[in-house]
Amino acid sequence: MAGDDRAGQAVTLRGTAGNAHAGAVLVRDQEPPIYVDGLTDWGDLAGQEVVVTGVLVLRWLTPEPATQGVVSHGVSGAVRILHDAVWRRATTHD
């Protein structure tokens, strides 16, 4: 898992390219999505297996969603983000 213990380190991760309201994400089995800093969407790579290398950081991405009976959008807590990321379509050799 791309966990908190690897925050601040360069990592290479494989997953599925996904598009979320807050930006492009790397989706991996049994893990929360990992945002790719500076990438709003994957374009033609959306839904494809990709390999992404970057520095893993934990950061608040959006304000906390309202919980007082008001419907709002947001992401609870800090999220995993890959900074200075580079990516490519995954191959069978990855």
Side-chain angles (χ1 to χ4, degrees), residues 23-59:
V25 293
L26 182 67
V27 179
R28 295 165 38 99
D29 287 341
Q30 307 301 314
E31 293 185 20
I34 302 167
Y35 287 84
V36 180
D37 191 43
L39 187 61
T40 56
D41 68 68
W42 286 100
D44 291 342
L45 285 176
Q48 303 293 312
E49 288 291 307
V50 294
V51 174
V52 184
T53 299
V55 177
L56 184 66
V57 298
L58 300 174
R59 187 181 84 203

Side-chain angles (χ1 to χ4, degrees), residues 20-25 33-39 57-64 74-83:
H21 284 4
V25 293
I34 302 167
Y35 287 84
V36 180
D37 191 43
L39 187 61
V57 298
L58 300 174
R59 187 181 84 203
W60 291 85
L61 189 62
T62 64
E64 282 285 314
V75 178
S76 293
V79 297
R80 292 167 180 84
I81 302 171
L82 288 170
H83 276 286

